[in-house]
Amino acid sequence: MRRLGYILAAMVLFMVGCTDSRVSEELIMAETIMEERPDSALAILREIDGSALSGEPQARHALLLSQALDKNYIDQTNDSLISIALNYYTTSSDEYHKMLAFHYMGVVKFNAGDYEEALNYALKAYELARGLNDQLNLCRIASVIGCIHRASFNYQTAYEWHMRSLALAKALNPQWALNSYYHIAENFLFLERYKESLAYADSSAMLSSMPDLAILEVQYLCNHFLRNNSTADSIYSVIIANGFQPSSEVIAGQALIHPDSALEMLDKYVEADSVDITSKADIEMAYVMTYLRNGDSERAYRMLSQHFTSNNALLSIMGKNPLEKVQQAHSQQLINEERARTEAARHFSVILCVIIGLLIIIAVLLILVFQSRQKIRQAQRESDLMRLNSKLKMITSKLTDSESELSDKQTRISALEEQINALNASRTDQASVAAESVDSLTEELDSLKRDTYDLLVSQFSLINAVGSIKLKPRTAELPEEGAVDRINSEIDSLSKDKTILRNIDSILTIYNPELKQNLASLSLLPTEYELAVYILFGLSTQVIALLMNKTERAVYNLKSRLKKKLEENNTEISAEILGYFTR
């Protein structure tokens, strides 16, 4: 029973291990394709049950899922998902994923309309991205910070952040500058810098692959305020032709240009959408101007009263600038962190100076101890030297006493040496005669070896000559037909019977063992060895083909393989054989 429990536990652990490995691979895949295919990344992440995970895998899944939702334009206003990632990475040393967690928490807060918290998290993400020198995420975070300021009516600050984002986008990929151009154009519009706004809006439109309502509206409003009514009308036609719903600002502008048909457009817009406070002020002013143009002063007066109320509320919101406190708090935090780093550096310097002082004191003490030990050792050496001098004197005395005894023995040795020299002289005379005889025999043997080896070489020259005769066509210049037949028979015999090759081995072993040993060191195959011997003894390729019973093409191929092996061997014998290849 206990054994069954162990088996079940092992199976559970194995399945959990396999599941963890699969989830890890899927998270890596989703993060890898996030930039290029965010829709596929989202599909992968939605297949993973985040509630079944814990620790870093759960935090990473929550972060990647928040990132994928944002990249697929699915706005999240609930921070429960991204909080999982932020809670884990805040205390982690993983600066990159911590930066992303702060960034997407800022995005979620921005979607929820909590601009103060959004700016707080975005500024933290921006500082982390700067520390990592992550240009891509610096570009994105700067754009988000600009959008937060734009939503809080801080158009000048928003413009400055979007300019940072634009500079980074141009350096990374000019195509990415589209959104930055648009946001800068929008900020210039609210700052009433219409010509600059129109220039940036046109740049954004040039990068867009299809008509974009937001860009078209900025172009429309800029032309409207610059009183380019015909251009504004043509842009409005493009908006309608593409099936877009114009914004309240565009409707208000169009109402001022065409007051006769304005009331119908305004009524449709108010019925179609819930109007925020900014749009409400614009629509009310459009109603005022339309009523006045149509001579309905009573309605114009009532609508003007409503406009004052909406406009005052809008001005009140715009005047508060709640983000200023967040920016100041963030700046103060950076100052405090820098101050803390400076203070820590100062403390470190003080501690380092103390440590260096202690090390100097320890070094001085060690030097004093070393000098003291050196003096003790010097005194010990002097004492040892005195003892050694005493022993030396005693030994010298003993040596002097033994000199007379040695002199007697030397005399006897000299007498013995004279006898030995006489005997050696007699033996030397006999050895000289024997050596001369041996040298004569050795010289004769060497001559015989050379003659035999030369005979072997001559034999190969004859074989080459006979083979050449066999290869020539039968003409009048060749010997008689009977002689030719004998030559052919000899060559055929040589090619079939390898006795000549075995004789070469025996002759080389006796008369040229060094060549035999060098050839053996090449580790050649039998056919390669036979070819190497034929090449060394000067046979032509055609004759070699006859002796080896091969075609000339086959011999050439074999020579190529042999040449390659010899070049790799790089020895004296291989170089000698290679020399014959060029002859």
Side-chain angles (χ1 to χ4, degrees):
M1 192 68 181
R2 180 179 296 177
R3 182 179 298 176
L4 178 60
Y6 289 153
I7 294 172
L8 290 174
M11 290 177 64
V12 169
L13 289 174
F14 176 76
M15 292 174 66
V16 169
C18 292
T19 302
D20 290 344
S21 176
R22 180 181 60 80
V23 169
S24 177
E25 290 177 358
E26 289 176 347
L27 291 175
I28 292 171
M29 174 62 72
E31 190 166 18
T32 302
I33 65 174
M34 183 67 71
E35 295 295 335
E36 300 294 332
R37 293 183 289 161
D39 54 339
S40 299
L42 180 60
I44 293 172
L45 293 166
R46 279 179 165 168
E47 291 295 321
I48 300 173
D49 183 7
S51 62
L53 304 176
S54 62
E56 197 277 339
Q58 184 184 41
R60 195 171 179 190
H61 173 260
L63 175 59
L64 291 175
L65 184 55
S66 299
Q67 186 178 9
L69 289 168
D70 181 68
K71 287 186 176 293
N72 284 279
Y73 306 103
I74 302 172
D75 292 341
Q76 297 291 298
T77 57
N78 189 316
D79 64 1
S80 59
L81 179 64
I82 190 62
S83 292
I84 297 172
L86 188 62
N87 291 337
Y88 178 85
Y89 287 114
T90 299
T91 58
S92 169
S93 60
D94 188 344
E95 296 291 297
Y96 175 74
H97 288 105
K98 184 192 297 185
M99 175 266 296
L100 290 180
F102 276 118
H103 170 52
Y104 285 104
M105 177 60 85
V107 171
V108 171
K109 292 294 183 183
F110 174 72
N111 293 337
D114 190 351
Y115 302 134
E116 294 183 41
E117 283 296 300
L119 182 61
N120 182 38
Y121 286 114
L123 289 172
K124 290 179 180 179
Y126 189 80
E127 292 303 324
L128 287 169
R130 280 209 308 178
L132 295 169
N133 194 27
D134 188 337
Q135 302 296 306
L136 175 59
N137 281 298
L138 279 173
C139 174
R140 290 172 175 168
I141 297 168
S143 179
V144 170
I145 294 174
C147 290
I148 294 170
H149 282 289
R150 154 68 183 84
S152 301
F153 310 107
N154 303 324
Y155 303 122
Q156 180 63 34
T157 308
Y159 151 73
E160 293 168 359
W161 277 101
H162 283 303
M163 285 298 288
R164 293 187 194 182
S165 179
L166 176 61
L168 291 166
K170 285 182 177 179
L172 293 167
N173 186 341
Q175 189 64 32
W176 295 351
L178 185 152
N179 288 332
S180 296
Y181 278 125
Y182 163 70
H183 288 305
I184 293 169
E186 185 184 35
N187 290 313
F188 275 140
L189 174 65
F190 290 113
L191 291 170
E192 299 181 6
R193 295 162 64 174
Y194 303 124
K195 290 184 179 180
E196 293 167 282
S197 175
L198 189 58
Y200 278 93
D202 290 344
S203 297
S204 181
M206 289 176 63
L207 293 173
S208 180
S209 59
M210 61 184 64
D212 188 288
L213 176 61
I215 299 171
L216 289 168
E217 287 181 345
V218 172
Q219 291 175 318
Y220 172 87
L221 292 171
C222 287
N223 282 288
H224 169 69
F225 290 122
L226 291 170
R227 301 191 182 283
N228 300 328
N229 292 339
S230 59
T231 305
D233 278 344
S234 63
I235 295 173
Y236 183 80
S237 299
V238 173
I239 292 173
I240 300 302
N242 281 278
F244 296 135
Q245 172 63 43
S247 67
S248 61
E249 293 88 349
V250 173
I251 294 292
Q254 196 67 10
L256 295 177
I257 298 173
H258 304 288
D260 296 338
S261 58
L263 286 175
E264 184 180 353
M265 287 190 297
L266 291 171
D267 291 340
K268 285 183 179 179
Y269 183 83
V270 172
E271 291 173 1
D273 293 302
S274 57
V275 181
D276 60 23
I277 189 168
T278 305
S279 300
K280 185 178 181 182
D282 293 331
I283 292 295
E284 287 170 349
M285 178 52 69
Y287 269 116
V288 170
M289 298 303 295
T290 304
Y291 288 145
L292 288 175
R293 294 283 182 91
N294 292 326
D296 193 343
S297 57
E298 183 178 351
R299 284 189 175 182
Y301 174 75
R302 287 200 302 270
M303 189 58 68
L304 185 61
S305 298
Q306 293 181 23
H307 171 71
F308 285 147
T309 302
S310 301
N311 198 53
N312 289 337
L314 180 61
L315 290 173
S316 175
I317 295 172
M318 294 175 64
K320 289 180 181 178
N321 190 11
L323 300 184
E324 185 175 355
K325 293 181 180 179
V326 177
Q327 185 67 55
Q328 289 175 352
H330 179 73
S331 300
Q332 187 61 44
Q333 182 182 354
L334 293 178
I335 292 170
N336 292 339
E337 290 174 356
E338 183 62 30
R339 188 178 298 161
R341 284 193 292 269
T342 303
E343 189 68 18
R346 189 178 68 81
H347 288 164
F348 177 76
S349 300
V350 171
I351 293 171
L352 185 62
C353 290
V354 171
I355 292 172
I356 291 173
L358 290 173
L359 289 175
I360 291 172
I361 293 171
I362 293 170
V364 171
L365 291 174
L366 289 175
I367 291 171
L368 292 174
V369 170
F370 178 75
Q371 290 178 345
S372 176
R373 289 185 176 179
Q374 285 291 97
K375 290 180 180 178
I376 294 171
R377 289 174 182 171
Q378 183 66 28
Q380 184 68 36
R381 282 196 294 269
E382 289 176 357
S383 176
D384 293 341
L385 183 60
M386 291 176 66
R387 287 197 299 271
L388 289 173
N389 284 333
S390 176
K391 288 182 179 180
L392 178 62
K393 289 178 182 179
M394 184 173 62
I395 292 169
T396 303
S397 176
K398 289 182 178 180
L399 288 173
T400 303
D401 294 340
S402 63
E403 281 181 358
S404 59
E405 183 180 355
L406 288 173
S407 178
D408 294 340
K409 291 182 178 181
Q410 187 63 44
T411 301
R412 185 178 175 185
I413 289 170
S414 297
L416 291 172
E417 285 179 348
E418 288 178 359
Q419 293 178 9
I420 291 170
N421 289 335
L423 291 172
N424 286 339
S426 175
R427 291 177 180 176
T428 300
D429 292 339
Q430 295 175 3
S432 176
V433 173
E436 288 177 359
S437 177
V438 169
D439 290 342
S440 176
L441 291 173
T442 301
E443 184 177 352
E444 184 178 355
L445 178 61
D446 291 341
S447 177
L448 287 172
K449 286 183 178 180
R450 286 193 300 272
D451 291 343
T452 303
Y453 190 74
D454 291 341
L455 183 61
L456 176 66
V457 174
S458 300
Q459 184 180 5
F460 271 92
S461 298
L462 290 172
I463 291 170
N464 195 57
V466 171
S468 299
I469 292 172
K470 174 179 173 60
L471 292 170
K472 287 182 180 180
R474 296 189 177 184
T475 62
E477 298 176 359
L478 291 174
E480 62 181 7
E481 186 172 351
V484 172
D485 290 337
R486 287 195 300 275
I487 289 170
N488 291 340
S489 175
E490 290 294 330
I491 291 298
D492 291 340
S493 175
L494 286 173
S495 65
K496 293 177 182 177
D497 184 5
K498 300 300 180 180
T499 305
I500 182 173
L501 190 62
R502 290 194 296 274
N503 290 340
I504 290 170
D505 281 344
S506 301
I507 293 170
L508 289 179
T509 301
I510 298 171
Y511 301 112
N512 199 340
E514 183 179 0
L515 177 59
K516 169 74 175 186
Q517 184 178 1
N518 288 337
L519 285 170
S521 69
L522 296 177
S523 301
L524 300 177
L525 298 174
T527 54
E528 293 172 342
Y529 178 81
E530 184 179 358
L531 177 62
V533 170
Y534 290 156
I535 291 172
L536 275 174
F537 288 105
L539 296 186
S540 66
T541 303
Q542 294 81 1
V543 174
I544 291 173
L546 285 174
L547 293 178
M548 295 185 75
N549 198 22
K550 295 181 181 291
T551 64
E552 289 186 31
R553 172 56 59 188
V555 172
Y556 276 119
N557 291 337
L558 184 58
K559 287 179 76 174
S560 297
R561 291 197 300 273
L562 176 61
K563 184 177 180 182
K564 183 177 180 181
K565 183 176 287 189
L566 292 173
E567 288 172 345
E568 292 174 352
N569 187 270
N570 193 23
T571 60
E572 185 176 348
I573 184 61
S574 62
E576 182 179 350
I577 298 173
L578 286 171
Y580 282 89
F581 277 79
T582 58
R583 294 183 181 180

